Amino acid sequence: MLEIKHTLCPSCSVGCGINVVLKEGEVVGSFPYKRHPINEGKNCANGRDSIENYKNKIKTATISNSETDIDKAIGEVLKELSSADASTVTVICSGNNTVEETEAIKNFAESKNYNIGFFADNLCNIEDVASYDDIENAKTILVIGDVLYDNPLIGRRIVHAKQNGAKICANGLEKSVTENISDEYSTDSVQEFLDAAKSNLYESDLIIFNKVDSPDDFDRIISIVEDSKCKVLPVYSKSNTKGTLNFMESKSEEDMIELLDNTKVLLVFNDDIADEIDFDFSRISKIISFAYCENNTTKISDIVIPIKAWLEKDGSFINAMGETQSFKAVAESDTLSEIEVIEKLNG
């Protein structure tokens, strides 16, 4: 018997709705949620791939690549934490965590006096951001990063804006998808691009970006927005990065490397920090991953503990324009959630 259940796409911060197809309780596929107000029946390849990742989820805990049961793995984590100096323990939080999980992770780290690391691609929080509807009504849009490729449902609105007469000025790498619809395209540094464009921005205009070269570029964007009164919309690579930014500040890559340099025990909650930070992780004595699917960080971890995927739990994400979106579990699982793991780590 087939069932259709609604949930959110976890692939970026846009917040699209997807329908999940279940056959006798097992997830077998997905298709766009036609009545969802954000994506209106469209989904990108990233959203479809998220279901494939779910199908390949981690089912068994491992210690040194050998399968074990959950209780033994958690017992080993407790053993490592009890023997470590708190100042050398770092907890990695992520925009992949729900609002509720982020709060629990932060409280856990602070209660134990552990360090906490959160990397958001050198992006930070902005309280007053544009809505998705603002995109289609803008006169000029500055696009930084390949938004059309990375965030196609935002890209779709940029295309509509161009059809409505907007001028599109973009900055990114050579041969990006965004270049194809741009009136002006630059491969200069983000700083050079912004310096050239800032004097021609007004209240009717908009800056959309999903990358910067450095934290200084982020500060430069904020300064331009304040001077020109134009609108701004950062699009984050993870579903709840904006929600996580409500709890903690993100660190620059430089600060993350400094933090990792002083770490002996690393706890990674649903993130792939090894894919994001250029660091020799072999210098860390113990790496412990809590993840629902394999990634580059789980591959180098000493202990891996499987957790519920977003399809298996209730929670909420805050999307790029600041809307809180709640979702319910659409699949059953006996796996522990991140919050349940933290409860066990707290004793």
Side-chain angles (χ1 to χ4, degrees):
M1 178 178 177
L2 291 179
E3 288 183 276
I4 307 297
K5 295 187 177 181
H6 306 311
T7 189
L8 297 177
C9 176
S11 298
C12 73
S13 66
V14 176
C16 298
I18 56 177
N19 287 325
V20 178
V21 184
L22 299 100
K23 183 177 181 180
E24 297 178 357
E26 293 293 320
V27 174
V28 294
S30 69
F31 63 96
Y33 184 4
K34 291 188 177 181
R35 292 192 299 276
H36 197 275
I38 289 178
N39 53 309
E40 299 172 336
K42 306 289 190 299
N43 277 145
C44 69
N46 295 329
R48 294 189 290 274
D49 287 347
S50 68
I51 298 298
E52 295 307 312
N53 287 337
Y54 172 79
K55 292 179 183 178
N56 296 317
K57 63 181 182 173
I58 299 170
K59 295 180 173 64
T60 308
T62 58
I63 300 175
S64 300
N65 295 318
S66 296
E67 293 186 359
T68 188
D69 61 66
I70 291 288
D71 289 338
K72 184 174 180 180
I74 289 177
E76 191 66 21
V77 175
L78 288 169
K79 180 180 174 182
E80 293 292 341
L81 293 176
S82 65
S83 62
D85 185 320
S87 66
T88 67
V89 177
T90 294
V91 175
I92 299 295
C93 195
S94 170
N96 294 324
N97 309 125
T98 66
V99 171
E100 298 76 17
E101 289 163 347
T102 300
E103 184 175 16
I105 293 165
K106 180 173 184 286
N107 290 340
F108 166 69
E110 290 180 344
S111 70
K112 304 292 186 180
N113 293 317
Y114 297 154
N115 305 302
I116 189 162
F118 168 46
F119 181 65
D121 305 313
N122 287 317
L123 304 182
C124 299
N125 197 21
I126 301 176
E127 292 296 333
D128 188 14
V129 296
S131 71
Y132 299 159
D133 289 342
D134 288 331
I135 299 172
E136 298 181 31
N137 298 317
K139 299 298 183 183
T140 297
I141 301 177
L142 299 192
V143 183
I144 303 172
D146 199 356
V147 174
L148 266 73
Y149 180 82
D150 297 327
N151 314 103
L153 276 303
I154 293 290
R156 179 169 171 260
R157 292 173 186 260
I158 295 173
V159 171
H160 289 170
K162 183 177 177 66
Q163 293 170 344
N164 291 338
K167 180 180 180 180
I168 311 298
C169 303
N171 171 263
L173 301 174
E174 292 183 4
K175 299 180 180 179
S176 80
V177 176
T178 304
E179 180 180 5
N180 295 331
I181 63 115
S182 299
D183 298 290
E184 297 178 7
Y185 191 80
S186 165
T187 57
D188 294 337
S189 69
V190 173
Q191 176 181 347
E192 291 171 320
F193 173 71
L194 290 171
D195 287 346
K198 64 183 180 182
S199 61
N200 297 312
L201 288 175
Y202 304 94
E203 289 186 33
S204 58
D205 302 331
L206 172 63
I207 302 175
I208 301 175
F209 63 103
N210 66 5
K211 67 172 282 293
V212 291
D213 294 333
S214 72
D216 289 342
D217 291 333
F218 186 92
D219 294 337
R220 191 171 282 108
I221 291 171
I222 300 306
S223 177
I224 290 171
V225 169
E226 290 174 348
D227 290 342
S228 67
K229 308 303 180 186
C230 72
K231 295 181 174 65
V232 64
L233 181 65
V235 186
Y236 304 102
S237 63
K238 297 172 185 174
S239 53
N240 192 46
T241 295
K242 188 166 181 60
T244 304
L245 285 166
N246 288 340
F247 287 92
M248 62 191 75
E249 292 184 1
S250 61
K251 294 182 179 295
S252 67
E253 185 170 2
E254 184 179 283
D255 288 341
M256 286 294 297
I257 290 172
E258 182 179 351
L259 179 61
L260 293 169
D261 261 332
N262 296 293
T263 297
K264 292 184 178 178
V265 179
L266 183 67
L267 280 70
V268 184
F269 284 91
N270 198 17
D271 201 28
D272 192 6
I273 195 68
D275 187 55
E276 299 177 331
I277 303 295
D278 185 12
F279 181 79
D280 181 5
F281 285 87
S282 66
R283 293 160 57 185
I284 297 176
S285 300
K286 288 292 178 181
I287 301 176
I288 301 160
S289 283
F290 307 94
Y292 80 86
C293 66
E294 187 179 83
N295 57 41
N296 289 331
T297 305
T298 63
K299 291 176 183 177
I300 62 170
S301 294
D302 301 281
I303 303 173
V304 177
I305 295 178
I307 56 172
K308 288 184 187 295
W310 89 104
L311 289 178
E312 300 166 335
K313 60 193 175 186
D314 302 341
S316 58
F317 296 146
I318 297 178
N319 65 24
M321 62 176 171
E323 288 185 345
T324 300
Q325 298 177 282
S326 297
F327 56 93
K328 295 289 187 182
V330 300
E332 295 183 0
S333 172
D334 294 329
T335 308
L336 296 174
S337 68
E338 289 175 68
I339 292 175
E340 289 169 331
V341 167
I342 290 170
E343 288 172 351
K344 286 183 175 291
L345 295 180
N346 276 322

